[in-house]
Amino acid sequence: MTEREERRFAEVPRESIKLMAESSGVELSEEVAALLAEDVCYRLREATQNSSQFMRHAKRRKLSVEDLNRALRWSNTETICGYGAQDALPFRPLKEGELFFVEDREINLVELALATNIPKGCAETMVRVHVSYLDGKGNLEPQGTVPTAVQSLSEDLLKYYQQITRAILGEDPHLMKVALLDLQSNSKIAALLPYFVYVISGVKSVSHDLDQLNRLLHMVKSLVQNPYLYLGSYVRSLVSSVMYCILEPLAASINPLNDHWTLRDYAALLLSHIFWTHGDLVSGLYHQILLSLQKVLSDPVRPLCSHYGAVVGLHALGWKAVERVLYPHLPAYWANLQAVLDDYSVSNAQVKADGHKVYGAILVAVERLLKMKALSLTLAAEGSGAGLPAGCPWEEWTPVSLPAMYCELYSFFGDSLAVRFSTGLPLGGQNSVHIMMITFCCFVLRAFLTGGLFLSRVCRSLARSSSSSVSRSRSSSSRPGRSTSQSRDIFPKARFPLPQAGPPAFSFIIGGRQMGRRCQGRRFQTSFSPTPPLTTHPPRAYAHKLPVIGRVSKPVRRWTCSHYSLHLPL
Amino acid sequence: MCLWCRIRQKIPKKKKTYYAAHVMTPLLSAPGKKMAAVQDAPMELDAEKETKPEILSDGTSNLSGNTASGTLSSPPLTAGGAPKQEDQQTLIAVLQFLRRNKLTESVEILRREACLEDQEDSQTLDGSGGGKGDGDGGDANSLLSRVSIASAAAPQSTLTPIPVKNDQPDVSVVLSAYSQQGDPSLYQVYYSSLKNFIESVLDCHRAELSQLFYPLFVHMYLELVYNNHENKAKAFFEKFSGDQECYYQDDLRILCGLTKKEHLKGNEALLDFRTSRFVLRISRDSYQLLKRHLQERHNNQIWNIIQEHLYIDIFDGMPRSKSQIDSMSGSFAGETRREVNKAKVFYGLLKEPEIEVPLDDEDDEAENEEGKPKKKKTKKDSMGSKSKKQDPNAPQQNRIPLPELKDSDKLDKIMYMKESTKRIRLGPENLPSICFYSFLNAYQGLTAVDFTDDSSLLAGGFADSTVRVWSATPKKLRKVKSAAELNLIDKESDDVLERIMDEKTASESKNLYGHSGPVYGVSFSPDRNYLLSSSEDGTVRLWSLQTFTCLVGYKGHNYPVWDTHFSPFGYYFVSGGHDRVARLWATDHYQPLRIFAGHLADVTCTRFHPNSNYVVTGSTDRTIRLWDVLNGNCVRFFTGHKGPIHSLAFSPNGKFLASGSTDGRVLLWDIGHGLMIGELKGHTDTIYALKFSRDGEILASGSMDNTVRLWDSMKAFDDMETDDFTAATGHIHLPDNSQELLLGMYHSKSTPVTHLHFTRRNLLLAAGAYNSQ
């Protein structure tokens, strides 16, 4: 009978009894041992049953050693000392021989006595009183759905809150739309704002569910768009929820079939929306956002989807953000991305696809950067040096001239940039720059086609043709150390060996690039920066050279000031 | 039977309660006196036995001493007053036994008590115990035979030159009835033939007759074990244990482990089962059916057991349904005999003393006069209280002597009345607010909590033997100054009560040290001057809340005292413990005034009736008993719980009782009619706290499952049709309406609810220790 089996008690085998007897020097016959074993079992059960009474009266669920000792004492049996600890005693099995024993470590009393960290006494027992339920209200809902403080809301608001959250997080898309629309326009929900924010902050718990994340983001959007709501400091909380969707390696993105990219795009748009409409509510918000985006971007441990998020985030925040954060980071980041993209192994396919996503995002971002920068320059020129737009003080941050930027970006993206750029460029009064760029590009391109060595020569010639000298020695001196520190470990390393390029070639590229920037820069620098940037330029370093078509070089630039610049108050 | 068994079993107890008989008398007048004497005679025997160490090992087991009276539960004299001859016989046997053991003093006392008894025998007061149920003809005979067996056994043992073990004859007597049974191999046949018969009868009878299974099973199993048929017993158990009702699982678990005759000796629970008669309630038709069957089949084995160990309470009328039976069964000793609950209970409230409540504009005056309210009050008392109508169900005002109201009590009553005018009227629409008193850092293990009636003080009993008192108001706790300092005080000053307090000692809480075991029960006196605590160390202690010192340690239980409770009028208190008795004490007596014996297992909780004339006790034997303080009789006996009872609460009007147990159910009882009137299901763990709101509309229950639930007690009481009470059968059919009655369920974070209290304005206070795990 199974029931009977269940009721079976643990039994002390007669072998144990014999062993115990032997250890105390008594020989027991088989018969006596069997009888004793049975009796011991019975007594044990009896003691356990009696001890449960002490447990019940102490209003506990766990039987303690003390309970058993009390039961023993009241049945005039000696109590067992040494096991009265409050914590559960670790009971360990020994694999060989099915032996179980209580772990009993030796304690070094000298050490204990001379220990300098005197344990703190336990806190005093106290009684604290709080009103748990007013008029017996609240808590009728299952726990967890409503933050407890909702009890203080009026009945109607509470109902509204429940309906709305249910509709938005529920299954019916139509209902959701209605709820979101109402959330957008309802003028009486100010009191509920904290609770909605609280709900939205639940993104972290649904990171596996794209649908729910989307719904929550829509909720954010509705709240942000509601003209009657003053978000105040809740902006910060909303932003952090949105940032979570942008940056975090969501559980949903494990499955490549999930389109988390769109979610990130949407979140990024939402972020910019919040920033542009409510950014003034929290001081330093822009700065904080940039900082966290930069942190993600510069963190090689993060997966590519996070980097993607950072890029689209920066993109959404405007070209200035791209210029300030993405652009300086690009060289460093490029190396890693390149390594991913160049790995054609099957196992890397997924990562590579992600890499292309990031690549595309960067491309879009820098393209816009170039466009907007060019536009702003023209405007600045026309406005006779109006400087930078307000709200973005760039002190101590040295801007890079447009052509230099272009050159550098071209070096990464090659023609893909140029094509998109030229087709999209709507400018008229920018010809000289453009022509210069085109020519430079052609040079580079040609150089590229003819091979690496030739490139340097071309560059050299280009450099010579320009009328400036370069501080080569300074740049090259700082190179080797940087290159090592820049190497990333999270990205799969490029499997092809580094081309044997001599230091002169390297330094030469520097010269060429530097020169290119300088020679064209002079013309622009006068327009918005009184001090020549060269003096404040940080040393640069190069890590790799690169062999693949489409990307000319793979220098790793170190922008030492980039962190520093972000610490500025905006 | 009763007296004999009582005495026999009492013998090995190790407690010293020598003076019990002498202190019993002072409180009450004649009827109580006689009873006291009888009850305490055995106690003295015990006292003498204390010196023998071997007894101790079996001490616990034989605590069943009081249980022999069993379901009959009324004290021996009132119950078995008729068979005088047998009493004589047994007394002689006892005297012989004592003489053999050279307990001359006890012999003397017993003789004296016996004579006393003989003299007073004529004036038997209570006839309730006399009437036996119809169809119970065999009862008297079997009783006779048992007594003769017993008395035969005793002289035998006197002849044995060396008593093997002191408790040996005792147990063998108790178990002797098992020795003469038939062929063990046929037990399974007997049982299964009965089983087949019961399963084949008409549905209406089957449920009733199925009640027989459990007691028969246990008795047959025990017989097998007693007669050393270990393997047969095991086989029997395996075959039939699965048929038993699920609420007997706990008992079966104990039974299962018991396979040797030696084990029986030490097992108190089974001795109880053996000595008490399991009560079944069966309709006449069903009983006839059973009887005919057994006689046709000559199934004497089972018939003997039914005759000897079961008490079948036969009623005329429709057989009961399964659910009706289930709602009442589950206790250790079967159901209640109908006649037990027939005694009249004065459940009405005592008349409130007439105290003129000062009008509101006098408020200030009253407060100013706090120090000297004498003039006013005495005047009012002299006015008497004839104007108010007496509740017909209330006991006589002086049925038991109650302490006179002190001036401070009167002031308190005034405060109470004032507060109650501001009381919130609760109802299903208007639920109380709940304040939770969380005990933090209670590493010591909170085991008991109590609030004063005015909710100003809070006491906690802890497993580390301490009692802590907190002030629940901003007013700090202060001690009275020392005697030397008190001498310096100007006694004539108006604020003398303030002056005697030592400001230096003011603190939010005070610790009371004195117990040497976990404190399982605490109770404030109604005047807030005293605190009682009961502990595992076997004592109840009385603490002064003026000096925060221990005043008295009441020793008597000698085993863990699980609960204690002050009378609503102060002075008296009741305690119950592991020794299976509840004791009534007065604060100024160091010995108990009454011993309420009858429970078959530990008394786990005790409560005073609001009119102080009755005491209710709940026990591990899954029964509830209501005792009359005046004469010590058990006047109500409630069965129906399926687990040990851990909480009890009277409704404020004294008419109803609520009880909660480990099975997570709350049962509601009508005291006047002695019937179960409601079952509240919902809790998932032991219910440790029950409390009615001040007007009785709401019942709050608190449990280990970290919830407080509120129940519509008004509806539960009203739903009960009055017809049900008048029906002679006394059977009730409970509607399953727990969900309708549940008004609210309130979770605490991680705090089991240990205590509940309604303030005078009906705010619900809950208390428990926060459990971080």
Side-chain angles (χ1 to χ4, degrees):
Chain A
M1 269 176 119
T2 51
E3 261 179 80
R4 169 72 185 157
E5 286 305 313
E6 280 164 23
R7 266 199 294 276
R8 263 248 143 76
F9 300 101
E11 286 178 1
V12 181
R14 66 186 71 164
E15 289 80 15
S16 304
I17 298 286
K18 284 181 98 172
L19 273 177
M20 282 178 227
E22 267 173 38
S23 69
S24 54
V26 185
E27 273 295 322
L28 286 184
S29 73
E30 198 67 24
E31 213 174 314
V32 173
L35 280 173
L36 265 179
E38 202 170 343
D39 197 56
V40 165
C41 291
Y42 176 75
R43 300 292 163 205
L44 272 178
R45 283 196 289 276
E46 200 181 29
T48 319
Q49 261 148 14
N50 290 340
S51 59
S52 71
Q53 195 155 35
F54 290 94
M55 174 191 76
R56 273 206 305 275
H57 281 282
K59 302 185 168 76
R60 268 184 282 117
R61 274 199 200 86
K62 249 188 211 163
L63 193 70
S64 74
V65 177
E66 266 309 294
D67 293 333
L68 195 67
N69 267 342
R70 278 184 220 292
L72 289 178
R73 211 172 59 228
W74 283 112
S75 56
N76 288 301
T77 313
E78 268 180 54
T79 56
I80 302 162
C81 300
Y83 297 96
Q86 296 268 324
D87 332 311
L89 292 168
F91 203 53
R92 288 191 32 200
L94 194 69
K95 268 184 194 144
E96 309 88 37
E98 290 181 17
L99 189 65
F100 294 86
F101 62 95
V102 175
E103 203 170 359
D104 202 2
R105 288 219 189 83
E106 277 181 26
I107 293 173
N108 189 339
L109 282 179
V110 177
E111 219 166 78
L112 194 71
L114 300 178
T116 47
N117 57 332
I118 296 160
K120 289 186 196 109
C122 41
E124 197 176 339
T125 308
M126 55 171 116
V127 185
R128 284 290 168 268
V129 61
H130 52 96
V131 178
S132 306
Y133 296 96
L134 259 183
D135 296 334
K137 292 233 179 65
N139 206 28
L140 295 170
E141 289 287 308
Q143 277 194 313
T145 52
V146 184
T148 43
V150 171
Q151 296 151 16
S152 57
L153 293 174
S154 76
E155 201 71 47
D156 293 344
L157 273 180
L158 189 66
K159 216 175 265 171
Y160 177 83
Y161 168 84
Q162 282 161 0
Q163 296 286 354
I164 287 283
T165 45
R166 244 177 246 158
I168 292 179
L169 300 178
E171 294 301 323
D172 189 350
H174 179 68
L175 211 60
M176 181 185 89
K177 259 177 217 162
V178 173
L180 287 172
L181 274 179
D182 188 69
L183 210 55
Q184 237 173 80
S185 54
N186 198 323
S187 57
K188 293 164 190 154
I189 55 169
L192 284 173
L193 181 62
Y195 307 111
F196 285 126
V197 171
Y198 173 80
V199 168
I200 289 165
S201 70
V203 283
K204 295 180 180 70
S205 56
V206 292
S207 76
H208 57 279
D209 192 342
L210 276 181
D211 209 5
Q212 294 282 40
L213 287 174
N214 252 322
R215 286 157 188 269
L216 288 174
L217 285 179
H218 277 104
M219 204 164 159
V220 176
K221 192 177 174 211
S222 296
L223 286 179
V224 170
Q225 284 180 342
N226 190 328
Y228 303 102
L229 278 183
Y230 173 74
L231 293 181
S233 55
Y234 288 114
V235 168
R236 205 181 282 275
S237 166
L238 288 178
V239 162
S240 81
S241 296
V242 173
M243 292 280 274
Y244 181 87
C245 293
I246 300 177
L247 292 177
E248 284 310 308
L250 304 169
S253 46
I254 293 166
N255 183 354
L257 296 177
N258 279 338
D259 190 7
H260 57 104
W261 309 105
T262 321
L263 179 83
R264 292 177 200 277
D265 288 345
Y266 180 68
L269 277 178
L270 197 55
L271 179 68
S272 75
H273 186 73
I274 296 175
F275 174 66
W276 292 121
T277 51
H278 295 86
D280 51 330
L281 292 176
V282 181
S283 63
L285 183 67
Y286 183 69
H287 179 73
Q288 281 174 1
I289 296 173
L290 284 193
L291 198 63
S292 50
L293 290 174
Q294 187 205 24
K295 223 164 124 192
V296 171
L297 200 61
S298 61
D299 186 356
V301 185
R302 297 273 192 151
L304 284 168
C305 52
S306 290
H307 292 152
Y308 176 83
V311 173
V312 292
L314 287 168
H315 179 58
L317 284 175
W319 64 273
K320 291 212 170 60
V322 176
E323 187 183 24
R324 277 194 57 190
V325 181
L326 180 60
Y327 178 66
H329 270 279
L330 207 47
Y333 185 71
W334 193 256
N336 306 313
L337 185 61
Q338 193 64 54
V340 170
L341 292 176
D342 290 339
D343 188 353
Y344 287 96
S345 64
V346 177
S347 62
N348 195 46
Q350 186 55 47
V351 180
K352 189 160 176 282
D354 291 359
H356 277 296
K357 269 278 184 192
V358 180
Y359 175 77
I362 297 176
L363 190 58
V364 171
V366 296
E367 200 184 305
R368 178 138 169 276
L369 166 68
L370 286 174
K371 275 186 215 169
M372 297 311 291
K373 182 143 178 145
L375 185 62
S376 79
L377 285 175
T378 9
L379 293 177
E382 278 164 13
S384 65
L388 290 161
C392 302
W394 301 103
E395 313 100 337
E396 294 191 49
W397 181 70
T398 39
V400 182
S401 69
L402 182 59
M405 190 181 280
Y406 185 82
C407 289
E408 191 163 350
L409 290 175
Y410 189 86
S411 71
F412 296 131
F413 293 97
D415 269 352
S416 57
L417 178 68
V419 170
R420 295 173 62 117
F421 185 60
S422 55
T423 50
L425 198 70
L427 301 176
Q430 198 62 22
N431 282 338
S432 60
V433 181
H434 186 62
I435 290 165
M436 191 245 116
M437 283 180 189
I438 299 295
T439 46
F440 185 76
C441 294
C442 291
F443 273 124
V444 176
L445 192 63
R446 206 178 305 148
F448 187 70
L449 290 171
T450 48
L453 260 180
F454 189 64
L455 165 74
S456 53
R457 234 174 276 155
V458 173
C459 286
R460 196 184 300 161
S461 68
L462 186 68
R464 280 209 196 108
S465 70
S466 312
S467 59
S468 71
S469 60
V470 187
S471 53
R472 291 178 201 178
S473 55
R474 186 187 50 169
S475 310
S476 53
S477 64
S478 62
R479 175 174 23 100
R482 303 272 174 195
S483 62
T484 47
S485 69
Q486 279 294 304
S487 66
R488 308 292 175 109
D489 42 9
I490 187 66
F491 287 86
K493 287 256 193 274
R495 259 175 262 155
F496 34 79
L498 285 174
Q500 294 303 311
F506 264 101
S507 62
F508 210 44
I509 291 172
I510 299 172
R513 293 162 55 79
Q514 290 279 43
M515 195 160 37
R517 174 171 299 184
R518 273 201 74 199
C519 69
Q520 298 300 330
R522 188 175 288 162
R523 191 171 140 199
F524 295 102
Q525 273 164 5
T526 50
S527 63
F528 56 89
S529 177
T531 51
L534 191 67
T535 49
T536 55
H537 248 297
R540 297 171 174 210
Y542 296 84
H544 303 291
K545 237 190 110 197
L546 119 105
V548 183
I549 296 189
R551 288 115 217 168
V552 178
S553 77
K554 209 165 86 173
V556 178
R557 270 177 61 195
R558 170 83 178 178
W559 187 270
T560 41
C561 277
S562 62
H563 292 288
Y564 178 51
S565 69
L566 276 168
H567 283 290
L568 298 176
L570 286 172
Chain B
M1 151 204 171
C2 299
L3 184 62
W4 172 245
C5 291
R6 292 171 64 82
I7 292 169
R8 300 296 278 174
Q9 289 195 312
K10 284 267 192 175
I11 286 168
K13 251 197 287 186
K14 65 169 179 178
K15 60 185 74 131
K16 178 109 182 163
T17 44
Y18 188 80
Y19 294 100
H22 310 289
V23 287
M24 283 295 284
T25 38
L27 164 66
L28 305 170
S29 44
K33 191 171 181 177
K34 179 193 65 188
M35 197 219 62
V38 176
Q39 272 214 333
D40 271 59
M43 304 294 292
E44 292 170 36
L45 304 186
D46 308 339
E48 300 301 325
K49 282 287 167 188
E50 200 185 12
T51 47
K52 298 194 167 52
E54 323 88 288
I55 294 163
L56 298 183
S57 61
D58 277 322
T60 34
S61 68
N62 289 301
L63 276 176
S64 54
N66 309 307
T67 62
S69 57
T71 47
L72 203 61
S73 77
S74 39
L77 186 67
T78 50
K84 194 175 164 186
Q85 271 191 325
E86 281 113 59
D87 277 358
Q88 295 281 14
Q89 269 186 354
T90 49
L91 279 171
I92 291 165
V94 172
L95 285 172
Q96 280 178 341
F97 178 79
L98 292 175
R99 220 170 279 140
R100 174 172 61 85
N101 285 302
K102 302 192 176 62
L103 302 168
T104 47
E105 201 175 343
S106 302
V107 171
E108 295 263 304
I109 292 164
L110 180 60
R111 208 174 253 163
R112 203 168 59 227
E113 299 289 350
C115 291
L116 188 80
E117 185 193 317
D118 287 341
Q119 283 162 15
E120 292 191 0
D121 204 3
S122 50
Q123 41 161 300
T124 309
L125 288 172
D126 195 345
S128 68
K132 295 261 185 274
D134 17 355
D136 191 28
D139 189 38
N141 287 332
S142 68
L143 187 142
L144 248 170
S145 69
R146 184 118 20 92
V147 172
S148 52
I149 289 166
S151 46
Q156 269 171 24
S157 61
T158 52
L159 297 178
T160 50
I162 307 147
V164 189
K165 206 177 171 194
N166 276 302
D167 55 342
Q168 189 99 1
D170 194 25
V171 176
S172 63
V173 166
V174 170
L175 295 171
S176 61
Y178 279 154
S179 56
Q180 77 269 19
Q181 303 303 331
D183 184 0
S185 53
L186 289 177
Y187 272 46
Q188 290 200 19
V189 180
Y190 293 147
Y191 190 87
S192 48
S193 85
L194 183 76
K195 193 178 150 191
N196 290 337
F197 161 70
I198 290 176
E199 277 166 1
S200 67
V201 297
L202 286 175
D203 282 357
C204 59
H205 300 300
R206 189 188 303 150
E208 287 204 316
L209 293 180
S210 298
Q211 298 176 81
L212 279 168
F213 282 140
Y214 176 70
L216 280 179
F217 171 80
V218 178
H219 279 295
M220 291 173 86
Y221 179 76
L222 289 181
E223 276 182 21
L224 287 172
V225 170
Y226 180 79
N227 293 315
N228 288 324
H229 305 299
E230 190 180 333
N231 292 329
K232 292 206 178 66
K234 275 182 181 164
F236 183 79
F237 190 94
E238 267 185 42
K239 190 155 182 200
F240 299 114
S241 64
D243 302 343
Q244 311 305 328
E245 296 284 353
C246 54
Y247 38 80
Y248 291 121
Q249 287 303 314
D250 287 347
D251 293 342
L252 289 180
R253 203 166 296 138
I254 295 172
L255 266 188
C256 170
L258 193 136
T259 51
K260 292 222 182 306
K261 188 179 177 182
E262 295 78 46
H263 297 163
L264 279 179
K265 278 180 200 159
N267 199 313
E268 53 207 273
L270 295 166
L271 283 177
D272 292 340
F273 194 87
R274 169 65 193 77
T275 50
S276 65
R277 310 187 82 200
F278 199 92
V279 180
L280 301 171
R281 211 185 270 183
I282 292 181
S283 72
R284 187 173 294 284
D285 293 350
S286 304
Y287 180 71
Q288 295 297 349
L289 214 58
L290 174 77
K291 198 170 171 184
R292 209 177 311 133
H293 167 79
L294 292 176
Q295 280 170 356
E296 277 170 14
R297 295 294 183 84
H298 301 289
N299 203 340
N300 286 328
Q301 189 62 39
I302 292 199
W303 185 244
N304 281 345
I305 294 178
I306 292 176
Q307 288 291 308
E308 280 192 38
H309 300 306
L310 307 190
Y311 178 98
I312 298 186
D313 189 358
I314 295 165
F315 62 86
D316 295 302
M318 285 284 290
R320 293 186 297 166
S321 70
K322 177 99 173 89
S323 65
Q324 279 178 319
I325 293 169
D326 280 348
S327 67
M328 297 300 288
S329 52
S331 98
F332 199 77
E335 288 189 49
T336 318
R337 298 185 198 202
R338 268 173 306 153
E339 77 267 8
V340 172
N341 285 347
K342 289 277 191 278
K344 166 98 175 141
V345 173
F346 302 102
Y347 56 81
L349 298 186
L350 293 177
K351 209 161 2 110
E352 284 291 321
E354 297 276 313
I355 300 170
E356 208 170 274
V357 182
L359 297 171
D360 277 347
D361 48 25
E362 287 179 52
D363 262 9
D364 296 340
E365 191 198 335
E367 270 158 32
N368 288 340
E369 279 188 344
E370 206 153 9
K372 40 158 196 174
K374 289 173 189 168
K375 269 188 284 175
K376 212 169 162 186
K377 296 296 143 10
T378 44
K379 196 166 64 190
K380 268 157 214 157
D381 260 19
S382 61
M383 280 171 20
S385 48
K386 274 137 205 157
S387 55
K388 219 175 178 181
K389 224 178 89 188
Q390 173 91 18
D391 182 347
N393 290 311
Q396 286 277 314
Q397 204 73 7
N398 54 358
R399 188 164 178 266
I400 63 164
L402 290 173
E404 298 238 324
L405 279 185
K406 291 188 296 243
D407 294 333
S408 57
D409 298 333
K410 286 170 188 159
L411 268 180
D412 198 54
K413 283 242 183 301
I414 292 168
M415 285 303 292
Y416 176 76
M417 285 174 200
K418 273 190 197 161
E419 287 274 303
S420 52
T421 58
K422 297 173 187 165
R423 179 182 298 165
I424 297 164
R425 183 127 189 111
L426 298 179
E429 304 305 316
N430 196 10
L431 296 178
S433 301
I434 306 175
C435 281
F436 210 108
Y437 284 75
S438 309
F439 285 71
L440 305 174
N441 306 322
Y443 314 101
Q444 307 87 355
L446 181 72
T447 44
V449 180
D450 195 31
F451 284 95
T452 53
D453 186 68
D454 68 348
S455 317
S456 64
L457 295 175
L458 166 67
F462 291 85
D464 71 345
S465 318
T466 59
V467 179
R468 287 151 203 256
V469 184
W470 279 270
S471 169
T473 60
K475 206 174 147 194
K476 300 220 163 147
L477 301 175
R478 292 171 302 178
K479 288 184 188 176
V480 170
K481 284 177 184 167
S482 69
E485 285 174 81
L486 283 176
N487 275 333
L488 306 173
I489 289 175
D490 173 16
K491 276 131 200 132
E492 302 304 315
S493 72
D494 286 348
D495 58 346
V496 68
L497 286 178
E498 189 61 28
R499 288 190 182 201
I500 59 169
M501 306 312 286
D502 189 352
E503 210 52 55
K504 286 191 295 267
T505 59
S507 65
E508 266 183 24
S509 77
K510 294 265 184 244
N511 292 1
L512 306 174
Y513 300 106
H515 281 296
S516 60
V519 179
Y520 291 122
V522 286
S523 178
F524 280 106
S525 72
D527 61 2
R528 293 187 298 281
N529 282 327
Y530 304 104
L531 174 71
L532 277 173
S533 63
S534 69
S535 160
E536 191 246 10
D537 62 13
T539 63
V540 178
R541 281 176 186 270
L542 182 75
W543 309 85
S544 162
L545 297 179
Q546 301 294 333
T547 58
F548 292 98
T549 51
C550 183
L551 301 177
V552 196
Y554 300 95
K555 294 173 188 174
H557 277 288
N558 281 339
Y559 284 93
V561 189
W562 298 130
D563 199 10
T564 183
H565 191 235
F566 244 117
S567 149
F569 296 92
Y571 186 60
Y572 300 115
F573 65 91
V574 62
S575 65
H578 183 61
D579 58 359
R580 300 154 182 234
V581 295
R583 286 159 202 254
L584 178 82
W585 310 74
T587 47
D588 56 359
H589 287 66
Y590 65 95
Q591 291 289 350
L593 304 176
R594 293 287 176 274
I595 294 177
F596 304 115
H599 277 297
L600 299 183
D602 303 31
V603 176
T604 49
C605 55
T606 54
R607 284 289 175 275
F608 252 101
H609 190 275
N611 68 19
S612 197
N613 278 260
Y614 297 92
V615 160
V616 69
T617 56
S619 162
T620 313
D621 67 8
R622 309 188 281 267
T623 63
I624 298 158
R625 284 168 186 269
L626 186 75
W627 309 87
D628 192 336
V629 166
L630 178 67
N631 50 25
N633 287 343
C634 173
V635 288
R636 286 290 179 270
F637 181 51
F638 297 131
T639 61
H641 272 296
K642 314 286 189 267
I645 289 136
H646 275 273
S647 50
L648 291 164
F650 280 102
S651 69
N653 61 9
K655 274 177 87 170
F656 304 105
L657 174 72
S659 59
S661 95
T662 56
D663 60 11
R665 300 181 315 147
V666 177
L667 296 183
L668 301 173
W669 309 90
D670 181 293
I671 295 169
H673 297 91
L675 290 174
M676 184 197 295
I677 52 165
E679 178 187 18
L680 307 174
K681 284 186 274 193
H683 280 294
T684 57
D685 211 329
T686 308
I687 296 160
Y688 279 117
L690 279 173
K691 196 78 177 189
F692 281 95
S693 68
R694 292 283 174 163
D695 297 319
E697 306 96 336
I698 302 257
L699 172 66
S701 61
S703 153
M704 271 288 263
D705 62 12
N706 299 350
T707 61
V708 173
R709 284 169 209 241
L710 301 179
W711 310 88
D712 190 344
S713 52
M714 264 344 228
K715 189 165 184 300
F717 298 146
D718 291 345
D719 277 0
M720 224 44 227
E721 292 300 319
T722 41
D723 302 353
D724 292 333
F725 297 147
T726 50
T729 53
H731 306 147
I732 40 107
H733 189 77
L734 288 178
D736 187 15
N737 56 352
S738 295
Q739 283 314 307
E740 291 165 44
L741 296 176
L742 180 64
L743 297 177
M745 177 172 85
Y746 304 99
H747 286 275
S748 68
K749 198 173 255 172
S750 178
T751 313
V753 185
T754 314
H755 189 77
L756 290 169
H757 177 78
F758 276 96
T759 66
R760 289 171 174 177
R761 298 188 190 183
N762 266 339
L763 175 70
L764 179 57
L765 310 182
Y770 175 69
N771 186 359
S772 54
Q773 274 109 42

